Amino acid sequence: MIHIAIIGSGPAGYYTAEAAQKAFGETARIDIIDRLPTPFGLIRSGVAPDHQSLKAVARRYEKTALTEEVRFVGNVPIGDDGVTIAELQDIYDAVVLATGAPHDRKLGIPGDDLPGAFGSAAFVGWYNGHPDFVAAQPPLDHSTAVVIGNGNVAIDCARILAKTSDELASSDIAAHAAEALGTSRITHIHIVGRRGPHQVSFTPKELGEMGRLERAAAVADPAAFPPETEDEALDPGQRKVVGFLREFAGNAADKPVTVSFDFFTRPVAIEGDLAVEGIEVERTRLTDDGRAEGTGEMRTIPCGLVISAIGYRTSPIAGVPYDEGRGRFVNEEGRIAPGLYCVGWARRGPTGTIGTNKPDGYAIAELLQSDLSDTGKPGRAGLDALIEERGLQAVRFTDWQKIDAAEVARARVGAPREKFVHVEEMIAAATTP
Ligand code: NAP
């Protein structure tokens, strides 16, 4: 029997399990280990709560989870407070790190640690009810919020700030966030990009949605755009994106909330004594090789909340080689060391959609097939013994199904679920007879 441990139960973890299960069939046992009692990683705590159709992919992962060969082992952290990678390597023939990239890339400017300055991981985790960020309390009592970055995460953050309670009613936004946003006084949201409309990383569907919000008008400065003829050189997707931005440039700020796309604007310093009071930004221009360079022209945007959505980093794990510059594990096509692999964002960095993890998972399963042979390691029995020795309370997939049912049962009218946001509540739901 081949024994495989996958660390992390998000898309990369489940696609790897699916692929390995297909590749090895009954000759392998696969354990998916997660530090939380709830599976699916980014599907539950990253994908926006008002994008329920994207979350439906969890049903596919559930099919894998319910096979004989695959087991979910939740509520088991990696590290000194749980089990270590070295211990897992003694027990399993392969350990695959599918730990994603849960930490924010830091802005690295003065004031970026002031209260009111958030990374998108914290802000997204807060509205999605991730246990680590429940207490975040982003200040919503100022008229202006600034979101830094021109990618889809920036769009998610701005859209959640801009939507009405009615627009969020059919989402699974955490109750504490729905309540706080319901009394938000934010009327101006700036989405700040250091380069121009042709250089954004938005995708058409996500950006287009920003033009159809009930109480928010999306606007942009027409002067930031190159001549329209230059759009022809763009690929079709990017041309569509720029088309939406041009529409926004023709919009009037005629709704209660304004979402303004501020291009060629780079953050320089976050200002404030005890908390964020504003952000100093510099006007930029493009260099010949497409980078943003400062022009020396400064202005301050008064605001009470700054959210930087400029990318993520994988959490380092003791003993696993880590590429500080790229914020991911050092690896060759997914191989880190004999018997140790990585997949998804932990392998390639934080780019691509959920679906990008599918070919990634299948590629790792191919490597496993060519690398692994039965060496008589204990696999599941070894992990169960370690869990018992450490006094950990592992959560199985059937326990998660109880948590799931309890969340669905306590949903607000019209909402798919009301998430438990504390681990203790999840464990209580899992252990209720
Ligand atoms: P992203 O698409 O890589 O965008 C990051 C943005 O941050 C870029 O505009 C980048 O500008 C900017 N940036 C980086 N460093 C900066 C700095 N120091 N100062 C100012 N701006 C800076 O990353 P993301 O938005 O975090 O998204 C991650 C991945 O998840 C993407 O592949 C995204 O499409 C995906 N995602 C998809 C969905 C969806 O499909 N609904 C939702 C959310 C996320 P430059 O281009 O100038 O570097």
Side-chain angles (χ1 to χ4, degrees):
M1 189 68 76
I2 305 282
H3 297 285
I4 300 167
I6 297 171
I7 317 302
S9 66
Y14 266 105
Y15 282 123
T16 303
E18 177 187 298
Q21 193 244 351
K22 283 189 179 152
F24 289 95
E26 290 179 356
T27 65
R29 290 292 178 269
I30 302 154
D31 280 354
I32 302 179
I33 302 169
D34 202 295
R35 74 185 181 95
L36 288 180
T38 52
F40 309 140
L42 213 66
I43 300 295
R44 179 175 167 99
S45 59
V47 171
D50 57 340
H51 282 172
Q52 286 297 313
S53 58
L54 286 179
K55 294 186 190 249
V57 71
R59 282 196 214 107
R60 175 176 178 148
Y61 306 154
E62 191 168 305
K63 272 196 199 140
T64 302
L66 292 169
T67 58
E68 185 64 29
E69 293 81 23
V70 177
R71 202 170 70 145
F72 173 68
V73 188
N75 203 33
V76 173
I78 298 301
D80 293 339
D81 53 344
V83 294
T84 66
I85 295 296
E87 287 168 334
L88 292 175
Q89 283 187 283
D90 285 343
I91 296 171
Y92 292 90
D93 297 300
V95 176
V96 183
L97 305 176
T99 46
H103 295 297
D104 289 301
R105 277 190 55 212
K106 291 286 273 177
L107 264 179
I109 59 173
D112 67 358
D113 53 357
L114 274 172
F118 282 73
S120 52
F123 186 68
V124 171
W126 172 73
Y127 64 62
N128 267 331
H130 189 294
D132 288 355
F133 303 109
V134 173
Q137 292 190 337
L140 306 172
D141 54 351
H142 195 285
S143 65
T144 303
V146 172
V147 182
I148 298 164
N150 272 180
N152 282 336
V153 173
I155 289 286
D156 279 348
C157 294
R159 187 182 67 256
I160 294 296
L161 285 173
K163 274 193 166 181
T164 62
S165 297
D166 275 358
E167 284 175 300
L168 291 170
S170 59
S171 77
D172 67 351
I173 189 165
H176 60 255
E179 198 180 310
L181 288 163
T183 58
S184 165
R185 298 175 62 187
I186 293 172
T187 50
H188 288 81
I189 301 160
H190 293 262
I191 300 179
V192 166
R194 62 182 172 182
R195 298 191 291 157
H198 275 203
Q199 287 77 37
V200 297
S201 306
F202 309 132
T203 48
K205 184 171 167 285
E206 281 62 35
L207 184 66
E209 214 181 328
M210 197 57 106
R212 298 187 299 274
L213 300 183
E214 205 174 292
R215 67 164 176 193
V219 301
D221 178 1
F225 289 75
E228 209 160 334
T229 48
E230 291 185 20
D231 294 1
E232 283 158 26
L234 300 170
D235 70 58
Q238 195 70 350
R239 209 178 311 145
K240 208 163 176 190
V241 161
V242 174
F244 282 127
L245 292 170
R246 288 192 186 278
E247 265 178 42
F248 300 166
N251 282 349
D254 57 0
K255 291 186 178 179
V257 174
T258 305
V259 179
S260 121
F261 288 79
D262 298 4
F263 295 112
F264 298 110
T265 302
R266 147 183 117 83
V268 174
I270 299 178
E271 298 171 348
D273 287 331
L274 298 174
V276 172
E277 291 170 25
I279 180 165
E280 185 185 26
V281 295
E282 181 180 16
R283 188 169 173 72
T284 61
R285 63 181 159 237
L286 278 186
T287 59
D288 288 343
D289 59 354
R291 285 175 302 110
E293 74 177 3
T295 61
E297 191 185 324
M298 305 287 189
R299 73 181 163 114
T300 293
I301 309 172
C303 62
L305 172 63
V306 172
I307 301 166
S308 64
I310 61 165
Y312 294 117
R313 294 168 65 80
T314 293
S315 315
I317 297 178
V320 181
Y322 188 77
D323 181 338
E324 277 294 338
R326 291 172 161 157
R328 59 169 167 77
F329 297 117
V330 176
N331 73 94
E332 259 322 305
E333 301 292 316
R335 286 189 180 102
I336 300 176
L340 186 60
Y341 303 80
C342 57
V343 66
W345 281 8
R347 177 182 80 76
R348 61 176 205 276
T351 57
T353 57
I354 294 159
T356 318
N357 294 297
K358 189 176 164 198
D360 242 34
Y362 276 74
I364 289 295
E366 262 181 48
L367 291 189
L368 296 178
Q369 240 188 336
S370 67
D371 290 357
L372 303 185
S373 57
D374 185 350
T375 56
K377 290 198 176 181
R380 286 181 179 179
L383 180 65
D384 292 348
L386 253 189
I387 286 174
E388 193 171 331
E389 187 188 312
R390 303 279 146 87
L392 300 169
Q393 189 175 7
V395 168
R396 293 289 142 76
F397 202 81
T398 45
D399 300 325
W400 150 248
Q401 287 177 311
K402 284 192 190 171
I403 301 174
D404 184 31
E407 288 187 342
V408 171
R410 68 190 211 125
R412 305 178 297 272
V413 177
R417 71 177 59 244
E418 184 62 60
K419 286 180 190 165
F420 294 115
V421 298
H422 298 289
V423 168
E424 306 75 53
E425 296 174 312
M426 297 169 188
I427 300 292
T431 50
T432 302

